[in-house]
C-alpha cells in the first residue's frame, strides 16, 4: 500500500504548477453591542431557546425549567465547574431532578446514556453571534456525548464568551495551535428535512436546545 | 462506432431521460424540492457584494489547495499521524475497499454504522462489506430511507429527494415492524430514530466522510444537521473517515469562509446544526470517542484530473449541490437518470474524468450550457467551460490524453462533415454556392438524415430562408461582403 502513496504523490508532483492566488479581503461581520441580540435571534431561528440568568441563580432556574418539561434524569459532569455547581445546588433541593454523573467510560455507561437520561448539562466555551452557535470543546470532565445523546441539551454560557464570528474566534483564541480532541459548533437541536423538506427535530441528537446565558459573567 | 454522435460511446442518458420526464410524481417531487432549495439559498445571499466577497475568498482558499496539493497532503498526513490518526492512501476503489475491510477485520468488527459519505457511494462500500459478512447501516435519515428501499442517492446533499412523504410512509410501514402507515413526518422521524439508536449502540465501528481536512492542524471537519455524523464518529470504538484527496484546506483560517458558503449554498441554512472537528482519537482520561481513528485518502482518478490545469478546477468542489438545484436538466430528469454517483452539473464534469469518456461520454452533453450552475457555484468552478472542453476531448483525434477515453465519441461522419464545412467556408465561391444551394434545396433534406436526425429527433427541423444573408445584403446595396 505504500506504493499508493508514492504513486499518487508522483502524479500530483508531475502535474503543471500554478502559483497560489492571494486570499482576497473578506471581513466577517461585527455586531458590537447588538451581539447578544443577534445571538438570540439566530439561535431562535433554528429552534434554540435562550434564557438569560445569572451565575448564582441558574441551577434553580434550570430546576424550574426542567420541572415544566417533566425531565427527571439529568446527565452532568461532576468534575467540571458547571457540573460541580449544579451538584451542590441540587443536593440541597429535595425536588430537583436526579443527577446522573458521566464519570465512567462510555462503554460502561452506554445503556444509560443511549436510552434513559433525559437531559445533559454542559458548559459552553464561547458563543458566536453571527450564526447563533455554541462552541464546545468537550474534555474528560464534560465528554463529547453529553451534548448529543440526551433528548434535551442544556448549555450554560457566560455572556462574556460571546464573539462576533468563528473567524474572529479562530484568530483571537489561537485555535491552530491548540485544537482539542473534538471541537464542536452547535447551532440548534438535531434536525432533518430529508422527508419532503419538512423540518423535524431530534432525529438523532437532542430534540431541544436550551441555552442559559449568564449575563453577569 | 456508430454513424452519429448520439449513438457513440457512453451514451444512454438520452435514452433514459424520457422515462423520468414522463413520470409526473418524480417531476413533482423534484420541482417542489428544487424550488424550495433555490429560494432558501437566494434568501441567504440577498447581499450580493457580500456574497461575491465571500465567494472570492472561498474560491481562493480552494484554489490555493490545488496550487499546493502534494505538499498539503503530506502536511495533513504528518499532522494526523502526530495527532494519533492513522492515514492510509488508496489509488483505486478496490484498494480503498480492501483497506477499510482490513481495518474492520483487524478490529473484529461485524457491524458498522455509517454517516453520509459520497466517497463511500463511489466505492460501493456497503456492497463490498456485505460480501465479506460485515453489515453497514446508513444512519443519515435520507440515506437510511434509500438503503431500506434498495436505491441509490439521487442528490449529493439530500439523497432521497426523489421520494415524497407517501412513498416513504409506505416504505416505513412495510419495513419497520409495528409502525403502521403514517404520513406524519415527526412520527416517521421518531421511528427512524428508535430503529437507529440501537444500531449506534451496537456498532463495532463508525464510517464517515470528511467535508474539509485541515492540513495545518490534522483536523477532520464534518458538517451535518442530524447528529448521526457525530454519533458515528463518537460512539463506536473505531472510526474510519473516507475522503477524496482534494478535500483539504490549508489552514483553520480558511475554514470560516468555506463554512459560511457550504450550508448556505446547499440548503439555505446559515450554518448546519453541527460542525464536528475531529483532531485526535480518545486520549488518556477521556471517557468517550473512538480509541482509533483512521483516515483513508482516495485518489481514484483525481490525480489524473489534477494533471490538466484547466480540468483541475473540478477539484475545488465542496459538494454543496447548488449546481444541481439550479440545473434545468437535473431538476427535470432527477438524479438517477445520470446513472452515476455524482449527478447534475458537477457530475457531468467529474464523472467523465473519473470514469473516462468512453463510459460516461454522454454526461457532458446532458447540458444546455445555460450557465446557471456557474453563477451559483460557491467556489467559482467554470463548469460550462469544462463541459465544453470535455465535449472537445471526447471527439478530439489523437487527443491530449488529459481525459481517459478521450476521442471515444469521434465519428467518421461528423469528422467528415466538419472537414467539408472547413473546405467550403475557406473558399468564398464555394461558400456562396453552398448558401445558394441550401436556400433553394435545403428544405428538401429529409428529417431522418444522419446527423440531422440528432437534432430533429427532439426539435422541429429548422427552415432555410429563401435567400441567404449575402443575397439580401447585396439587394440592399451593400456590396462589400
Ligand atoms: S460544483 Fe460548485 S455548486 Fe456544484 S456541488 Fe461543487 S461546489 Fe457546489
Amino acid at each position: 500500500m505504500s506504493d499508493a502513496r508514492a504513486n499518487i504523490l508522483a502524479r500530483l508532483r508531475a502535474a503543471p504548477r500554478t502559483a497560489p492566488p492571494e486570499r482576497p479581503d473578506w471581513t466577517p461581520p461585527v455586531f458590537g453591542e447588538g451581539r447578544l441580540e443577534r445571538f438570540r435571534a439566530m439561535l431562535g431561528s433554528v429552534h434554540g431557546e435562550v434564557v438569560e440568568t445569572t451565575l448564582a441563580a441558574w441551577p434553580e432556574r434550570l430546576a424550574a425549567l426542567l420541572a415544566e418539561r417533566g425531565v427527571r434524569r439529568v446527565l452532568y459532569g461532576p468534575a467540571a465547574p458547571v457540573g460541580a455547581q449544579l451538584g451542590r445546588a441540587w443536593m440541597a433541593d429535595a425536588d430537583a431532578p436526579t443527577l446522573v454523573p458521566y464519570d465512567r467510560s462510555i462503554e460502561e455507561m452506554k445503556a444509560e446514556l443511549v436510552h434513559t437520561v433525559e437531559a445533559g448539562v454542559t458548559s459552553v466555551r464561547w458563543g458566536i453571534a453571527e450564526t447563533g452557535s455554541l462552541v464546545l470543546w468537550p474534555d474528560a470532565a464534560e465528554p463529547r456525548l453529553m451534548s448529543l445523546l440526551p433528548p434535551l441539551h442544556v448549555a450554560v454560557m457566560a455572556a462574556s464568551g460571546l464573539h462576533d464570528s468563528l473567524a474572529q474566534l479562530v484568530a483571537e483564541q489561537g485555535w491552530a495551535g491548540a485544537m482539542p480532541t473534538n471541537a464542536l459548533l452547535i447551532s440548534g437541536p438535531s434536525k432533518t428535512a430529508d422527508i419532503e423538506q419538512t423540518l423535524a427535530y431530534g432525529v438523532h441528537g437532542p430534540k431541544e436546545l436550551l441555552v442559559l446565558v449568564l449575563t453577569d459573567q | 462506432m456508430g454513424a452519429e454522435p448520439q449513438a457513440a460511446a457512453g451514451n444512454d442518458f438520452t435514452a433514459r431521460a424520457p422515462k423520468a420526464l414522463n413520470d409526473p410524481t418524480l417531476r413533482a417531487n423534484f420541482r417542489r424540492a428544487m424550488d424550495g432549495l433555490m429560494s432558501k439559498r437566494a434568501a441567504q445571499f440577498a447581499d450580493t457584494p457580500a456574497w461575491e466577497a465571500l465567494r472570492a475568498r472561498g474560491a481562493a482558499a480552494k484554489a490555493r489547495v490545488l496550487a499546493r496539493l502534494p505538499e498539503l497532503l503530506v502536511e495533513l498526513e504528518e499532522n494526523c499521524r502526530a495527532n494519533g490518526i492513522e492515514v492510509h492512501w488508496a489509488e483505486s476503489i478496490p484498494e480503498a475497499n480492501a483497506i477499510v475491510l482490513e481495518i474492520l477485520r483487524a478490529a473484529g468488527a461485524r457491524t458498522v454504522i455509517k454517516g453520509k459519505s459520497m466517497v463511500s457511494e463511489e466505492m460501493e462500500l456497503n456492497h463490498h462489506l456485505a460480501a465479506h459478512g460485515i453489515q453497514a447501516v446508513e444512519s443519515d435519515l435520507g440515506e437510511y430511507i434509500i438503503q431500506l428501499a434498495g436505491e441509490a442517492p439521487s442528490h449529493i446533499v439530500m439523497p432521497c429527494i426523489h421520494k415524497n412523504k407517501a412513498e416513504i410512509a409506505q416504505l416505513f410501514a412495510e419495513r419497520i415492524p409495528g409502525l403502521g402507515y403514517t404520513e406524519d413526518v415527526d412520527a416517521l422521524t421518531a421511528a427512524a430514530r428508535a430503529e437507529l439508536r440501537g444500531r449506534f449502540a451496537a456498532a463495532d465501528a463508525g464510517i464517515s466522510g470528511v467535508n474539509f481536512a485541515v492540513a495545518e492542524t490534522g483536523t477532520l471537519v464534518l458538517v451535518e444537521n442530524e447528529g448521526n455524523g457525530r454519533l458515528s464518529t463518537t460512539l463506536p470504538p473505531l472510526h474510519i473517515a473516507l475522503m477524496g484527496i482534494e478535500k483539504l484546506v490549508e489552514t483553520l483560517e480558511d475554514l470560516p469562509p468555506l463554512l459560511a458558503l457550504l450550508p448556505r449554498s446547499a440548503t439555505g441554512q446559515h450554518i448546519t446544526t453541527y460542525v464536528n472537528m475531529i483532531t485526535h482519537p480518545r486520549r488518556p482520561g477521556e471517557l468517550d470517542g473512538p480509541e482509533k481513528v483512521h483516515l483513508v485518502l482516495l485518489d481514484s482518478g483525481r490525480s489524473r484530473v489534477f494533471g490538466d490545469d484547466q480540468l483541475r478546477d473540478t477539484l475545488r468542489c465542496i459538494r454543496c449541490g447548488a449546481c444541481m438545484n439550479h440545473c434545468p436538466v437535473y431538476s427535470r430528469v432527477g438524479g438517477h437518470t445520470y446513472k452515476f454517483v455524482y449527478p447534475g452539473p458537477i457530475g457531468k464534469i467529474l464523472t467523465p474524468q473519473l470514469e473516462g469518456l468512453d463510459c460516461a461520454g454522454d454526461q457532458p452533453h446532458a447540458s444546455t450550457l445555460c450557465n446557471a450552475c456557474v453563477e451559483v457555484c460557491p467556489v467559482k468552478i467554470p463548469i460550462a467551460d469544462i463541459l465544453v472542453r470535455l465535449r472537445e476531448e471526447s471527439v478530439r483525434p489523437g487527443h491530449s490524453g488529459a481525459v481517459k477515453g478521450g476521442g471515444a465519441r469521434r465519428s467518421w461522419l461528423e469528422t467528415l462533415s466538419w472537414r467539408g464545412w472547413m473546405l467550403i467556408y475557406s473558399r468564398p465561391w464555394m461558400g456562396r454556392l453552398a448558401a445558394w444551394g441550401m436556400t433553394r434545396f435545403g428544405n428538401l433534406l429529409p428529417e431522418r438524415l444522419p446527423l440531422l436526425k440528432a437534432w430533429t429527433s427532439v426539435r422541429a427541423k429548422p427552415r432555410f430562408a429563401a435567400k441567404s444573408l449575402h443575397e439580401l445584403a447585396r439587394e440592399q446595396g451593400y456590396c462589400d461582403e
Side-chain angles (χ1 to χ4, degrees):
Chain A
M1 293 297 160
S2 63
D3 278 1
R5 181 183 189 278
N7 295 345
I8 294 169
L9 287 174
R11 275 195 297 273
L12 295 177
R13 286 184 180 129
R17 307 297 296 222
T18 48
E22 290 302 317
R23 294 183 174 91
D25 281 341
W26 165 70
T27 338
V30 177
F31 302 98
E33 287 306 300
R35 214 176 267 162
L36 183 57
E37 252 340 283
R38 167 82 186 190
F39 175 78
R40 180 202 287 279
M42 292 312 280
L43 195 59
S45 75
V46 289
H47 211 65
E49 193 181 332
V50 176
V51 174
E52 287 178 37
T53 174
T54 60
L55 179 64
W58 76 263
E60 205 184 323
R61 184 75 190 276
L62 178 60
L65 290 164
L66 295 182
E68 280 170 23
R69 291 165 168 80
V71 168
R72 294 302 306 166
R73 290 187 74 75
V74 177
L75 185 70
Y76 82 125
V82 157
Q85 189 189 352
L86 193 65
R88 283 194 305 275
W90 283 8
M91 203 163 24
D93 178 357
D95 295 331
T98 311
L99 281 170
V100 179
Y102 195 164
D103 55 4
R104 284 162 296 142
S105 75
I106 178 64
E107 287 73 25
E108 292 168 73
M109 296 194 63
K110 212 178 239 182
E112 170 108 69
L113 256 67
V114 170
H115 297 294
T116 59
V117 288
E118 294 164 274
V121 183
T122 73
S123 60
V124 171
R125 201 167 174 105
W126 298 287
I128 300 174
E130 182 189 7
T131 49
S133 309
L134 309 171
V135 182
L136 269 64
W137 281 19
D139 56 17
E142 281 184 354
R144 295 159 71 169
L145 292 165
M146 286 184 84
S147 59
L148 186 60
L149 285 171
L152 167 65
H153 174 205
V154 179
V156 183
M157 182 178 91
S160 61
L162 205 50
H163 284 62
D164 288 320
S165 63
L166 176 63
Q168 181 199 9
L169 260 179
V170 166
E172 282 180 12
Q173 303 292 334
W175 282 28
M179 284 301 272
T181 300
N182 183 212
L184 293 165
L185 308 188
I186 299 179
S187 313
S190 151
K191 63 172 178 277
T192 183
D194 275 346
I195 303 179
E196 262 190 31
Q197 292 76 58
T198 309
L199 267 178
Y201 293 97
V203 53
H204 288 296
K207 213 178 170 69
E208 210 183 334
L209 173 65
L210 191 59
V211 183
L212 305 182
V213 178
L214 311 183
T215 49
D216 59 344
Q217 291 297 296
Chain B
M1 184 161 303
E4 302 153 47
Q6 250 55 19
N11 176 21
D12 32 19
F13 183 92
T14 356
R16 284 188 302 273
K19 184 159 172 278
L21 290 171
N22 292 319
D23 179 342
T25 311
L26 190 82
R27 292 287 296 269
N29 293 352
F30 273 95
R31 190 70 270 155
R32 181 181 49 239
M34 299 300 108
D35 286 346
L37 290 167
M38 283 194 289
S39 60
K40 280 196 237 158
R41 177 193 166 279
Q44 284 290 340
F45 295 125
D47 181 347
T48 311
W51 137 249
E52 283 299 349
L54 179 61
R55 187 186 191 211
R57 183 71 177 70
K62 290 302 289 189
R64 290 179 64 92
V65 168
L66 296 183
R68 299 186 49 225
L69 189 57
E71 292 78 19
L72 289 175
L73 281 167
V74 172
E75 186 184 339
L76 175 75
E77 179 187 42
E78 277 167 10
N79 286 324
C80 282
R81 290 224 166 111
N83 294 341
I85 298 175
E86 215 171 300
V87 181
H88 309 260
W89 301 67
E91 275 194 278
S92 65
I93 282 167
E95 230 173 80
N97 277 324
I99 290 169
V100 173
L101 185 64
E102 186 47 44
I103 298 169
L104 292 173
R105 277 193 174 150
R110 310 285 307 162
T111 57
V112 169
I113 193 87
K114 278 189 64 209
K116 204 173 136 30
S117 153
M118 289 310 292
V119 165
S120 78
E121 298 287 345
E122 241 181 273
M123 292 163 60
E124 296 185 37
L125 178 65
N126 295 357
H127 283 130
H128 182 77
L129 294 181
H132 292 87
I134 295 175
Q135 192 196 14
V137 177
E138 295 289 347
S139 62
D140 170 87
L141 181 59
E143 293 278 354
Y144 174 68
I145 291 169
I146 58 169
Q147 191 179 35
L148 279 186
E151 293 174 5
S154 58
H155 188 282
I156 61 171
V157 176
M158 312 202 95
C160 77
I161 205 158
H162 58 289
K163 284 197 172 318
N164 62 29
K165 208 169 11 186
E167 293 169 302
I168 295 165
Q170 189 58 41
L171 179 71
F172 275 29
E174 285 162 18
R175 302 298 301 275
I176 299 182
L179 179 66
Y181 185 93
T182 171
E183 288 190 16
D184 182 272
V185 173
D186 284 319
L188 292 169
T189 306
R193 174 183 170 116
E195 276 289 300
L196 288 165
R197 267 277 153 140
R199 307 276 198 158
F200 276 115
D204 300 317
I207 295 183
S208 75
V210 175
N211 292 98
F212 304 100
V214 186
E216 175 189 34
T217 57
T219 300
L220 311 178
V221 183
L222 281 73
V223 302
E224 54 146 347
N225 286 311
E226 296 187 2
N228 68 308
R230 281 184 66 196
L231 280 171
S232 307
T233 58
T234 316
L235 194 49
L238 169 65
H239 169 210
I240 304 172
L242 311 170
M243 67 176 256
I245 53 168
E246 79 282 23
K247 296 212 91 180
L248 294 160
V249 292
E250 281 183 289
T251 62
L252 269 185
E253 187 204 327
D254 284 329
L255 205 53
L258 289 166
L259 285 176
L261 284 165
L262 175 56
R264 294 161 88 191
S265 304
T267 49
Q269 295 174 264
H270 54 270
I271 190 167
T272 51
T273 299
Y274 300 115
V275 178
N276 180 10
M277 310 183 198
I278 300 165
T279 308
H280 300 271
R282 186 189 310 191
R283 288 194 282 188
E286 292 175 349
L287 302 178
D288 57 19
E291 302 279 358
K292 283 226 153 52
V293 178
H294 295 261
L295 174 65
V296 181
L297 299 169
L298 176 67
D299 179 347
S300 183
R302 288 163 172 84
S303 58
R304 182 167 186 158
V305 179
F306 186 80
D308 182 286
D309 52 10
Q310 181 188 18
L311 299 174
R312 180 182 297 172
D313 286 341
T314 311
L315 300 177
R316 289 213 292 254
C317 177
I318 57 173
R319 304 283 189 269
C320 72
C323 53
M324 54 200 76
N325 300 344
H326 291 75
C327 177
V329 178
Y330 174 88
S331 58
R332 284 169 179 78
V333 300
H336 290 153
T337 305
Y338 296 83
K339 221 185 68 189
F340 291 95
V341 171
Y342 300 99
I346 180 60
K348 291 177 230 187
I349 59 171
L350 183 60
T351 308
Q353 298 188 66
L354 297 186
E355 307 280 337
L357 284 162
D358 41 356
C359 72
D362 57 338
Q363 306 279 315
H365 292 269
S367 168
T368 63
L369 297 179
C370 74
N371 222 42
C373 50
V374 181
E375 278 170 23
V376 295
C377 177
V379 287
K380 294 186 166 185
I381 300 177
I383 300 171
D385 294 344
I386 297 177
L387 281 168
V388 172
R389 167 73 191 280
L390 290 171
R391 290 180 183 184
E392 270 169 38
E393 290 294 333
S394 71
V395 294
R396 172 166 293 184
H399 72 103
S400 63
V403 187
K404 180 174 160 271
R409 290 171 66 87
R410 195 169 158 74
S411 92
W412 61 267
L413 186 57
E414 195 178 332
T415 313
L416 209 66
S417 308
W418 286 115
R419 288 258 168 80
W421 177 275
M422 201 166 76
L423 186 79
I424 292 169
Y425 284 92
S426 52
R427 288 162 185 75
W429 65 270
M430 276 177 104
R432 270 197 299 275
L433 191 67
W436 183 86
M438 280 304 181
T439 47
R440 273 45 178 199
F441 308 111
N443 289 327
L444 302 177
L445 290 175
E447 277 194 8
R448 308 299 300 160
L449 210 62
L451 289 185
L452 194 58
K453 195 170 76 183
W455 179 273
T456 55
S457 63
V458 284
R459 301 172 189 88
K461 199 183 105 188
R463 288 203 58 80
F464 288 94
K467 286 176 180 172
S468 75
L469 186 64
H470 285 226
E471 286 176 81
L472 290 174
R474 258 194 310 276
E475 281 176 17
Q476 298 284 325
Y478 298 99
C479 41
D480 185 14
E481 285 171 13

